[in-house]
Short mmCIF file of all heavy atoms in Angstrom, two decimals:
data_model
loop_
_atom_site.label_atom_id
_atom_site.label_comp_id
_atom_site.label_asym_id
_atom_site.label_seq_id
_atom_site.Cartn_x
_atom_site.Cartn_y
_atom_site.Cartn_z
N MET H 36 2.08 12.68 0.39
CA MET H 36 2.80 11.43 0.41
C MET H 36 3.47 11.18 -0.94
O MET H 36 2.92 11.44 -1.95
CB MET H 36 1.87 10.25 0.72
CG MET H 36 1.23 10.30 2.07
SD MET H 36 2.40 10.11 3.41
CE MET H 36 2.59 8.31 3.39
N THR H 37 4.70 10.70 -0.89
CA THR H 37 5.37 10.38 -2.11
C THR H 37 5.30 8.89 -2.36
O THR H 37 5.33 8.05 -1.43
CB THR H 37 6.82 10.85 -2.10
OG1 THR H 37 7.51 10.41 -3.27
CG2 THR H 37 7.53 10.28 -0.88
N THR H 38 5.18 8.52 -3.63
CA THR H 38 5.22 7.14 -3.94
C THR H 38 6.62 6.67 -4.43
O THR H 38 6.82 5.50 -4.73
CB THR H 38 4.17 6.79 -5.05
OG1 THR H 38 4.38 7.65 -6.16
CG2 THR H 38 2.77 7.00 -4.49
N ALA H 39 7.52 7.65 -4.56
CA ALA H 39 8.86 7.30 -4.98
C ALA H 39 9.51 6.44 -3.92
O ALA H 39 9.42 6.71 -2.74
CB ALA H 39 9.66 8.56 -5.21
N VAL H 40 10.18 5.39 -4.41
CA VAL H 40 10.84 4.51 -3.45
C VAL H 40 12.26 4.95 -3.32
O VAL H 40 13.14 4.53 -4.01
CB VAL H 40 10.74 3.07 -3.94
CG1 VAL H 40 11.41 2.12 -2.92
CG2 VAL H 40 9.27 2.62 -4.15
N ALA H 41 12.47 5.87 -2.42
CA ALA H 41 13.83 6.33 -2.16
C ALA H 41 14.45 5.43 -1.08
O ALA H 41 13.72 4.98 -0.18
CB ALA H 41 13.78 7.77 -1.62
N ASP H 42 15.70 5.22 -1.19
CA ASP H 42 16.35 4.37 -0.29
C ASP H 42 16.80 5.15 0.95
O ASP H 42 17.95 5.30 1.26
CB ASP H 42 17.59 3.72 -0.95
CG ASP H 42 18.16 2.63 -0.04
OD1 ASP H 42 17.43 2.12 0.83
OD2 ASP H 42 19.34 2.29 -0.20
N ARG H 43 15.80 5.73 1.59
CA ARG H 43 16.11 6.56 2.68
C ARG H 43 16.33 5.75 3.96
O ARG H 43 15.85 4.65 4.12
CB ARG H 43 15.00 7.58 2.93
CG ARG H 43 13.68 6.99 3.37
CD ARG H 43 12.62 8.00 3.57
NE ARG H 43 11.32 7.42 3.87
CZ ARG H 43 10.99 7.01 5.09
NH1 ARG H 43 11.83 7.17 6.08
NH2 ARG H 43 9.81 6.48 5.35
N THR H 44 17.10 6.37 4.86
CA THR H 44 17.39 5.72 6.11
C THR H 44 16.23 5.95 7.07
O THR H 44 15.71 7.02 7.11
CB THR H 44 18.68 6.27 6.69
OG1 THR H 44 19.73 6.02 5.74
CG2 THR H 44 19.04 5.60 7.99
N LEU H 45 15.93 4.97 7.81
CA LEU H 45 14.87 5.10 8.81
C LEU H 45 15.41 5.95 9.98
O LEU H 45 16.58 5.88 10.34
CB LEU H 45 14.42 3.74 9.30
CG LEU H 45 13.76 2.91 8.23
CD1 LEU H 45 13.62 1.45 8.74
CD2 LEU H 45 12.37 3.44 7.92
N THR H 46 14.52 6.72 10.52
CA THR H 46 14.92 7.55 11.67
C THR H 46 14.08 7.28 12.89
O THR H 46 13.14 6.45 12.80
CB THR H 46 14.69 9.06 11.29
OG1 THR H 46 13.28 9.32 11.26
CG2 THR H 46 15.31 9.40 9.97
N ALA H 47 14.35 7.90 13.95
CA ALA H 47 13.62 7.73 15.18
C ALA H 47 12.17 8.16 15.04
O ALA H 47 11.33 7.79 15.82
CB ALA H 47 14.29 8.48 16.34
N ALA H 48 11.89 8.96 13.99
CA ALA H 48 10.53 9.40 13.79
C ALA H 48 9.67 8.34 13.07
O ALA H 48 8.50 8.44 13.01
CB ALA H 48 10.51 10.68 12.90
N ASP H 49 10.32 7.29 12.53
CA ASP H 49 9.63 6.22 11.88
C ASP H 49 9.22 5.18 12.90
O ASP H 49 10.02 4.69 13.69
CB ASP H 49 10.55 5.54 10.85
CG ASP H 49 10.79 6.52 9.65
OD1 ASP H 49 9.80 6.97 9.04
OD2 ASP H 49 11.94 6.77 9.34
N ARG H 50 7.92 4.88 12.93
CA ARG H 50 7.40 4.03 14.01
C ARG H 50 6.73 2.82 13.44
O ARG H 50 6.05 2.86 12.37
CB ARG H 50 6.35 4.85 14.79
CG ARG H 50 6.91 6.02 15.57
CD ARG H 50 7.76 5.53 16.71
NE ARG H 50 8.74 6.53 17.16
CZ ARG H 50 9.58 6.27 18.17
NH1 ARG H 50 9.56 5.16 18.85
NH2 ARG H 50 10.45 7.24 18.48
N CYS H 51 6.87 1.73 14.19
CA CYS H 51 6.25 0.50 13.80
C CYS H 51 4.72 0.65 13.64
O CYS H 51 4.08 1.21 14.54
CB CYS H 51 6.55 -0.58 14.88
SG CYS H 51 5.76 -2.16 14.61
N ASP H 52 4.19 0.09 12.58
CA ASP H 52 2.74 0.18 12.34
C ASP H 52 1.96 -0.67 13.33
O ASP H 52 0.75 -0.50 13.48
CB ASP H 52 2.43 -0.23 10.89
CG ASP H 52 2.91 0.77 9.87
OD1 ASP H 52 3.05 1.97 10.27
OD2 ASP H 52 3.14 0.35 8.73
N ARG H 53 2.64 -1.59 13.95
CA ARG H 53 1.93 -2.49 14.85
C ARG H 53 1.93 -2.07 16.30
O ARG H 53 0.98 -2.17 17.00
CB ARG H 53 2.51 -3.88 14.75
CG ARG H 53 2.31 -4.57 13.42
CD ARG H 53 0.89 -5.01 13.20
NE ARG H 53 0.66 -5.51 11.86
CZ ARG H 53 0.81 -6.74 11.53
NH1 ARG H 53 1.27 -7.64 12.42
NH2 ARG H 53 0.58 -7.15 10.27
N CYS H 54 3.09 -1.55 16.77
CA CYS H 54 3.22 -1.28 18.16
C CYS H 54 3.74 0.11 18.51
O CYS H 54 3.73 0.51 19.66
CB CYS H 54 4.15 -2.34 18.80
SG CYS H 54 5.85 -2.18 18.36
N GLY H 55 4.16 0.86 17.47
CA GLY H 55 4.63 2.21 17.75
C GLY H 55 6.08 2.35 18.22
O GLY H 55 6.51 3.43 18.45
N ALA H 56 6.77 1.23 18.31
CA ALA H 56 8.19 1.26 18.63
C ALA H 56 8.97 1.85 17.44
O ALA H 56 8.41 1.93 16.32
CB ALA H 56 8.70 -0.10 19.02
N GLN H 57 10.23 2.18 17.63
CA GLN H 57 11.03 2.69 16.55
C GLN H 57 11.12 1.61 15.47
O GLN H 57 11.40 0.48 15.71
CB GLN H 57 12.39 3.10 16.96
CG GLN H 57 13.24 3.76 15.85
CD GLN H 57 14.50 4.33 16.33
OE1 GLN H 57 14.76 4.49 17.55
NE2 GLN H 57 15.38 4.69 15.42
N ALA H 58 10.90 2.07 14.22
CA ALA H 58 10.90 1.14 13.09
C ALA H 58 12.33 0.91 12.58
O ALA H 58 13.11 1.87 12.44
CB ALA H 58 10.02 1.69 11.96
N TYR H 59 12.64 -0.31 12.26
CA TYR H 59 13.92 -0.64 11.71
C TYR H 59 13.78 -1.33 10.36
O TYR H 59 14.79 -1.61 9.69
CB TYR H 59 14.73 -1.52 12.65
CG TYR H 59 15.33 -0.73 13.78
CD1 TYR H 59 14.67 -0.64 14.99
CD2 TYR H 59 16.56 -0.12 13.63
CE1 TYR H 59 15.23 0.10 16.04
CE2 TYR H 59 17.08 0.61 14.66
CZ TYR H 59 16.43 0.67 15.84
OH TYR H 59 16.99 1.42 16.89
N VAL H 60 12.59 -1.60 9.97
CA VAL H 60 12.35 -2.30 8.65
C VAL H 60 11.26 -1.56 7.93
O VAL H 60 10.20 -1.23 8.47
CB VAL H 60 11.92 -3.79 8.91
CG1 VAL H 60 11.62 -4.44 7.55
CG2 VAL H 60 13.01 -4.54 9.60
N ARG H 61 11.56 -1.27 6.67
CA ARG H 61 10.64 -0.61 5.77
C ARG H 61 10.24 -1.56 4.62
O ARG H 61 11.14 -2.12 3.98
CB ARG H 61 11.17 0.68 5.18
CG ARG H 61 10.23 1.42 4.28
CD ARG H 61 10.77 2.84 4.08
NE ARG H 61 12.13 2.82 3.54
CZ ARG H 61 12.44 2.75 2.16
NH1 ARG H 61 11.45 2.67 1.30
NH2 ARG H 61 13.66 2.72 1.80
N VAL H 62 8.98 -1.81 4.47
CA VAL H 62 8.52 -2.73 3.47
C VAL H 62 7.64 -1.99 2.47
O VAL H 62 6.79 -1.24 2.86
CB VAL H 62 7.66 -3.88 4.15
CG1 VAL H 62 7.13 -4.82 3.10
CG2 VAL H 62 8.45 -4.56 5.20
N VAL H 63 7.92 -2.19 1.16
CA VAL H 63 7.08 -1.63 0.16
C VAL H 63 6.30 -2.79 -0.51
O VAL H 63 6.94 -3.77 -0.99
CB VAL H 63 7.95 -0.90 -0.93
CG1 VAL H 63 7.05 -0.37 -2.02
CG2 VAL H 63 8.70 0.25 -0.26
N LEU H 64 4.96 -2.69 -0.46
CA LEU H 64 4.16 -3.73 -1.01
C LEU H 64 4.15 -3.66 -2.54
O LEU H 64 3.94 -2.59 -3.10
CB LEU H 64 2.74 -3.60 -0.52
CG LEU H 64 2.62 -3.83 0.98
CD1 LEU H 64 1.15 -3.62 1.44
CD2 LEU H 64 3.03 -5.28 1.38
N GLU H 65 4.32 -4.78 -3.19
CA GLU H 65 4.40 -4.87 -4.63
C GLU H 65 3.08 -4.47 -5.25
O GLU H 65 3.03 -3.79 -6.28
CB GLU H 65 4.80 -6.29 -5.05
CG GLU H 65 5.30 -6.39 -6.44
CD GLU H 65 5.97 -7.78 -6.68
OE1 GLU H 65 5.41 -8.73 -6.10
OE2 GLU H 65 6.96 -7.82 -7.32
N SER H 66 1.98 -4.88 -4.64
CA SER H 66 0.67 -4.69 -5.23
C SER H 66 0.24 -3.21 -5.23
O SER H 66 -0.19 -2.69 -6.25
CB SER H 66 -0.38 -5.50 -4.49
OG SER H 66 -0.35 -5.20 -3.10
N SER H 67 0.43 -2.56 -4.13
CA SER H 67 -0.10 -1.19 -3.94
C SER H 67 0.97 -0.15 -3.97
O SER H 67 0.70 1.05 -4.07
CB SER H 67 -0.90 -1.07 -2.68
OG SER H 67 -0.03 -1.34 -1.58
N GLY H 68 2.22 -0.53 -3.74
CA GLY H 68 3.27 0.43 -3.56
C GLY H 68 3.25 1.05 -2.20
O GLY H 68 4.00 1.97 -1.90
N GLY H 69 2.28 0.59 -1.36
CA GLY H 69 2.21 1.12 -0.03
C GLY H 69 3.41 0.75 0.81
O GLY H 69 4.05 -0.29 0.64
N GLU H 70 3.68 1.62 1.77
CA GLU H 70 4.86 1.46 2.63
C GLU H 70 4.43 1.04 4.02
O GLU H 70 3.50 1.65 4.57
CB GLU H 70 5.66 2.74 2.66
CG GLU H 70 6.96 2.64 3.35
CD GLU H 70 7.71 3.95 3.30
OE1 GLU H 70 8.42 4.16 2.27
OE2 GLU H 70 7.61 4.80 4.19
N LEU H 71 5.06 0.08 4.58
CA LEU H 71 4.82 -0.36 5.91
C LEU H 71 6.11 -0.27 6.71
O LEU H 71 7.18 -0.58 6.19
CB LEU H 71 4.27 -1.83 5.96
CG LEU H 71 2.95 -2.08 5.27
CD1 LEU H 71 2.69 -3.57 5.19
CD2 LEU H 71 1.80 -1.37 5.90
N LEU H 72 5.99 0.07 7.97
CA LEU H 72 7.17 0.14 8.87
C LEU H 72 6.97 -0.80 10.05
O LEU H 72 5.88 -0.93 10.60
CB LEU H 72 7.27 1.55 9.39
CG LEU H 72 7.54 2.67 8.31
CD1 LEU H 72 7.43 4.02 8.94
CD2 LEU H 72 8.82 2.46 7.60
N PHE H 73 8.05 -1.51 10.33
CA PHE H 73 7.97 -2.44 11.49
C PHE H 73 9.22 -2.31 12.35
O PHE H 73 10.30 -2.06 11.84
CB PHE H 73 7.84 -3.86 10.98
CG PHE H 73 6.62 -4.14 10.19
CD1 PHE H 73 6.67 -4.26 8.81
CD2 PHE H 73 5.37 -4.26 10.82
CE1 PHE H 73 5.52 -4.49 8.09
CE2 PHE H 73 4.26 -4.52 10.13
CZ PHE H 73 4.32 -4.65 8.74
N CYS H 74 8.99 -2.51 13.62
CA CYS H 74 10.19 -2.67 14.49
C CYS H 74 10.82 -4.01 14.25
O CYS H 74 10.27 -4.88 13.45
CB CYS H 74 9.72 -2.61 15.98
SG CYS H 74 8.63 -3.93 16.48
N ALA H 75 11.98 -4.28 14.82
CA ALA H 75 12.67 -5.52 14.56
C ALA H 75 11.80 -6.75 14.92
O ALA H 75 11.71 -7.71 14.19
CB ALA H 75 13.94 -5.56 15.35
N HIS H 76 11.11 -6.57 16.08
CA HIS H 76 10.28 -7.69 16.54
C HIS H 76 9.15 -8.04 15.53
O HIS H 76 8.96 -9.16 15.14
CB HIS H 76 9.68 -7.34 17.90
CG HIS H 76 8.61 -8.32 18.34
ND1 HIS H 76 8.90 -9.53 18.90
CD2 HIS H 76 7.28 -8.22 18.31
CE1 HIS H 76 7.76 -10.15 19.18
NE2 HIS H 76 6.76 -9.38 18.87
N HIS H 77 8.43 -6.96 15.14
CA HIS H 77 7.30 -7.24 14.23
C HIS H 77 7.72 -7.55 12.82
O HIS H 77 6.99 -8.21 12.08
CB HIS H 77 6.31 -6.05 14.31
CG HIS H 77 5.42 -6.07 15.49
ND1 HIS H 77 5.52 -5.19 16.56
CD2 HIS H 77 4.48 -7.00 15.88
CE1 HIS H 77 4.65 -5.56 17.49
NE2 HIS H 77 3.98 -6.60 17.10
N SER H 78 8.87 -7.06 12.39
CA SER H 78 9.34 -7.47 11.11
C SER H 78 9.55 -8.92 10.98
O SER H 78 9.24 -9.59 9.94
CB SER H 78 10.66 -6.71 10.72
OG SER H 78 11.74 -7.19 11.49
N ARG H 79 10.08 -9.52 12.05
CA ARG H 79 10.23 -10.98 12.06
C ARG H 79 8.87 -11.67 12.11
O ARG H 79 8.67 -12.71 11.48
CB ARG H 79 11.09 -11.43 13.22
CG ARG H 79 12.56 -11.10 13.00
CD ARG H 79 13.45 -11.78 14.05
NE ARG H 79 13.32 -11.19 15.36
CZ ARG H 79 14.03 -10.16 15.80
NH1 ARG H 79 14.94 -9.61 15.03
NH2 ARG H 79 13.81 -9.66 16.99
N ALA H 80 7.93 -11.04 12.82
CA ALA H 80 6.61 -11.66 12.97
C ALA H 80 5.86 -11.68 11.60
O ALA H 80 5.07 -12.61 11.39
CB ALA H 80 5.79 -10.92 14.01
N VAL H 81 6.06 -10.70 10.76
CA VAL H 81 5.32 -10.62 9.51
C VAL H 81 6.14 -11.02 8.29
O VAL H 81 5.63 -11.08 7.20
CB VAL H 81 4.78 -9.21 9.26
CG1 VAL H 81 3.87 -8.72 10.44
CG2 VAL H 81 5.89 -8.20 9.05
N GLU H 82 7.41 -11.35 8.52
CA GLU H 82 8.30 -11.57 7.37
C GLU H 82 7.84 -12.66 6.48
O GLU H 82 7.81 -12.51 5.23
CB GLU H 82 9.71 -11.92 7.89
CG GLU H 82 10.74 -12.02 6.76
CD GLU H 82 12.16 -12.13 7.31
OE1 GLU H 82 12.34 -12.17 8.54
OE2 GLU H 82 13.08 -12.17 6.44
N ALA H 83 7.42 -13.79 7.07
CA ALA H 83 7.00 -14.92 6.24
C ALA H 83 5.80 -14.63 5.39
O ALA H 83 5.66 -15.09 4.23
CB ALA H 83 6.70 -16.15 7.13
N THR H 84 4.95 -13.77 5.93
CA THR H 84 3.71 -13.41 5.18
C THR H 84 3.96 -12.30 4.16
O THR H 84 3.46 -12.39 3.04
CB THR H 84 2.64 -12.90 6.20
OG1 THR H 84 2.43 -13.93 7.16
CG2 THR H 84 1.35 -12.60 5.50
N LEU H 85 4.70 -11.29 4.58
CA LEU H 85 4.80 -10.10 3.74
C LEU H 85 5.99 -10.12 2.79
O LEU H 85 5.89 -9.48 1.70
CB LEU H 85 4.95 -8.84 4.61
CG LEU H 85 3.64 -8.34 5.29
CD1 LEU H 85 3.95 -7.07 6.04
CD2 LEU H 85 2.58 -8.11 4.28
N LYS H 86 7.01 -10.81 3.10
CA LYS H 86 8.20 -10.72 2.21
C LYS H 86 7.87 -11.15 0.78
O LYS H 86 8.33 -10.52 -0.16
CB LYS H 86 9.37 -11.53 2.79
CG LYS H 86 10.70 -10.99 2.30
CD LYS H 86 11.84 -11.40 3.22
CE LYS H 86 13.10 -10.59 2.93
NZ LYS H 86 14.18 -10.92 3.85
N PRO H 87 7.14 -12.24 0.55
CA PRO H 87 6.80 -12.61 -0.83
C PRO H 87 5.93 -11.60 -1.51
O PRO H 87 5.85 -11.63 -2.76
CB PRO H 87 6.01 -13.94 -0.62
CG PRO H 87 6.39 -14.40 0.73
CD PRO H 87 6.60 -13.18 1.55
N LEU H 88 5.29 -10.74 -0.76
CA LEU H 88 4.35 -9.73 -1.34
C LEU H 88 5.05 -8.36 -1.55
O LEU H 88 4.44 -7.43 -2.04
CB LEU H 88 3.14 -9.51 -0.44
CG LEU H 88 2.33 -10.81 -0.15
CD1 LEU H 88 1.22 -10.45 0.83
CD2 LEU H 88 1.76 -11.43 -1.42
N SER H 89 6.28 -8.26 -1.09
CA SER H 89 6.96 -6.98 -1.11
C SER H 89 7.89 -6.82 -2.30
O SER H 89 8.48 -7.79 -2.78
CB SER H 89 7.73 -6.78 0.17
OG SER H 89 8.80 -7.70 0.24
N SER H 90 7.99 -5.59 -2.77
CA SER H 90 8.97 -5.29 -3.81
C SER H 90 10.26 -4.78 -3.18
O SER H 90 11.30 -4.73 -3.85
CB SER H 90 8.39 -4.22 -4.75
OG SER H 90 8.13 -3.03 -4.03
N GLU H 91 10.19 -4.39 -1.93
CA GLU H 91 11.37 -3.90 -1.28
C GLU H 91 11.27 -4.30 0.20
O GLU H 91 10.26 -4.19 0.82
CB GLU H 91 11.51 -2.40 -1.35
CG GLU H 91 12.76 -1.85 -0.79
CD GLU H 91 12.87 -0.34 -1.01
OE1 GLU H 91 12.09 0.21 -1.73
OE2 GLU H 91 13.79 0.26 -0.42
N TRP H 92 12.41 -4.78 0.73
CA TRP H 92 12.47 -5.09 2.16
C TRP H 92 13.78 -4.49 2.70
O TRP H 92 14.84 -5.04 2.55
CB TRP H 92 12.49 -6.65 2.31
CG TRP H 92 12.35 -7.06 3.73
CD1 TRP H 92 13.29 -7.20 4.68
CD2 TRP H 92 11.08 -7.48 4.38
NE1 TRP H 92 12.72 -7.63 5.86
CE2 TRP H 92 11.42 -7.80 5.72
CE3 TRP H 92 9.79 -7.56 3.88
CZ2 TRP H 92 10.43 -8.24 6.63
CZ3 TRP H 92 8.84 -7.98 4.84
CH2 TRP H 92 9.14 -8.32 6.17
N HIS H 93 13.55 -3.33 3.28
CA HIS H 93 14.73 -2.57 3.71
C HIS H 93 14.90 -2.76 5.18
O HIS H 93 14.08 -2.26 6.01
CB HIS H 93 14.45 -1.07 3.39
CG HIS H 93 15.57 -0.15 3.76
ND1 HIS H 93 16.75 -0.11 3.08
CD2 HIS H 93 15.67 0.74 4.79
CE1 HIS H 93 17.53 0.81 3.66
NE2 HIS H 93 16.91 1.32 4.65
N ASP H 94 15.90 -3.52 5.55
CA ASP H 94 16.06 -3.96 6.96
C ASP H 94 17.28 -3.29 7.61
O ASP H 94 18.43 -3.55 7.18
CB ASP H 94 16.25 -5.45 6.95
CG ASP H 94 16.23 -6.03 8.39
OD1 ASP H 94 16.47 -5.27 9.37
OD2 ASP H 94 16.00 -7.26 8.49
N GLU H 95 17.04 -2.49 8.53
CA GLU H 95 18.12 -1.78 9.22
C GLU H 95 18.25 -2.28 10.68
O GLU H 95 18.86 -1.63 11.55
CB GLU H 95 17.86 -0.29 9.28
CG GLU H 95 17.90 0.35 7.94
CD GLU H 95 17.71 1.88 8.01
OE1 GLU H 95 17.85 2.45 9.10
OE2 GLU H 95 17.46 2.49 6.99
N SER H 96 17.68 -3.46 10.93
CA SER H 96 17.68 -3.93 12.31
C SER H 96 19.08 -4.23 12.80
O SER H 96 19.29 -4.32 14.05
CB SER H 96 16.80 -5.20 12.44
OG SER H 96 17.22 -6.20 11.57
N GLY H 97 20.01 -4.40 11.85
CA GLY H 97 21.38 -4.63 12.25
C GLY H 97 21.94 -3.47 13.04
O GLY H 97 22.85 -3.60 13.90
N ARG H 98 21.35 -2.28 12.82
CA ARG H 98 21.81 -1.09 13.56
C ARG H 98 21.49 -1.23 15.11
O ARG H 98 22.09 -0.51 15.89
CB ARG H 98 21.14 0.18 13.03
CG ARG H 98 21.59 0.49 11.62
CD ARG H 98 21.20 1.94 11.28
NE ARG H 98 19.78 2.15 11.28
CZ ARG H 98 19.15 3.21 11.80
NH1 ARG H 98 19.86 4.14 12.33
NH2 ARG H 98 17.83 3.28 11.76
N LEU H 99 20.55 -2.08 15.41
CA LEU H 99 20.20 -2.22 16.83
C LEU H 99 21.42 -2.68 17.61
O LEU H 99 21.58 -2.33 18.76
CB LEU H 99 19.10 -3.32 16.93
CG LEU H 99 17.65 -2.86 16.74
CD1 LEU H 99 16.77 -4.07 16.73
CD2 LEU H 99 17.24 -1.91 17.84
N HIS H 100 22.25 -3.48 16.95
CA HIS H 100 23.40 -4.02 17.68
C HIS H 100 24.64 -3.13 17.45
O HIS H 100 25.57 -3.23 18.31
CB HIS H 100 23.66 -5.43 17.14
CG HIS H 100 22.51 -6.32 17.18
ND1 HIS H 100 21.92 -6.70 18.36
CD2 HIS H 100 21.69 -6.80 16.21
CE1 HIS H 100 20.84 -7.46 18.12
NE2 HIS H 100 20.66 -7.49 16.83
N GLU H 101 24.63 -2.31 16.42
CA GLU H 101 25.81 -1.49 16.23
C GLU H 101 25.76 -0.22 17.03
O GLU H 101 26.76 0.28 17.45
CB GLU H 101 25.83 -1.03 14.76
CG GLU H 101 26.06 -2.17 13.81
CD GLU H 101 25.93 -1.67 12.34
OE1 GLU H 101 25.79 -0.45 12.13
OE2 GLU H 101 25.93 -2.51 11.46
N ARG H 102 24.61 0.30 17.20
CA ARG H 102 24.50 1.63 17.77
C ARG H 102 24.07 1.59 19.21
O ARG H 102 22.93 1.50 19.55
CB ARG H 102 23.47 2.40 16.97
CG ARG H 102 23.71 3.92 17.09
CD ARG H 102 22.44 4.71 16.80
NE ARG H 102 22.29 5.00 15.37
CZ ARG H 102 21.32 5.70 14.91
NH1 ARG H 102 20.36 6.14 15.70
NH2 ARG H 102 21.24 5.92 13.59
N GLU H 103 25.04 1.68 20.09
CA GLU H 103 24.76 1.78 21.50
C GLU H 103 24.47 3.30 21.77
O GLU H 103 24.94 4.17 21.06
CB GLU H 103 25.97 1.35 22.30
CG GLU H 103 26.34 -0.09 22.11
CD GLU H 103 25.25 -1.04 22.60
OE1 GLU H 103 24.63 -0.70 23.60
OE2 GLU H 103 25.01 -2.03 21.92
N PRO H 104 23.72 3.53 22.81
CA PRO H 104 23.46 4.95 23.19
C PRO H 104 24.80 5.67 23.42
O PRO H 104 25.65 5.19 24.12
CB PRO H 104 22.67 4.86 24.46
CG PRO H 104 22.05 3.51 24.43
CD PRO H 104 23.06 2.65 23.67
N VAL H 105 24.98 6.80 22.71
CA VAL H 105 26.18 7.57 22.79
C VAL H 105 25.96 8.76 23.71
O VAL H 105 25.06 9.55 23.38
CB VAL H 105 26.67 7.98 21.40
CG1 VAL H 105 27.93 8.83 21.52
CG2 VAL H 105 26.92 6.78 20.52
N PRO H 106 26.76 8.97 24.68
CA PRO H 106 26.64 10.18 25.51
C PRO H 106 26.84 11.45 24.64
O PRO H 106 27.74 11.49 23.84
CB PRO H 106 27.74 10.05 26.57
CG PRO H 106 28.17 8.62 26.55
CD PRO H 106 27.87 8.13 25.13
N VAL H 107 26.03 12.41 24.89
CA VAL H 107 26.13 13.70 24.14
C VAL H 107 27.07 14.67 24.94
O VAL H 107 26.90 14.78 26.15
CB VAL H 107 24.81 14.34 23.98
CG1 VAL H 107 24.90 15.69 23.21
CG2 VAL H 107 23.89 13.40 23.17
N ASP H 108 28.00 15.21 24.23
CA ASP H 108 28.94 16.12 24.92
C ASP H 108 28.18 17.37 25.39
O ASP H 108 27.46 17.93 24.61
CB ASP H 108 30.01 16.55 23.91
CG ASP H 108 30.95 15.38 23.59
OD1 ASP H 108 31.10 14.52 24.49
OD2 ASP H 108 31.49 15.35 22.46
ZN1 ZN U 205 6.40 -3.43 16.51
#
């Protein structure tokens, strides 16, 4: 595991820590440097609690609305 906080893009392999859905929000905790991943739903559910404790709040949930399923040629 790396502790470097790279501004990497979340992928389909990143899963919500709460429900296992695709993660769209990556949170880095200020205290431990630990990384948490949340789906759009759970990021909103934990935002009020976790955001003040986080050093980074990387939210890609906007992509939910931008990226419609694209047919593969
Ligand atoms: Zn979730």
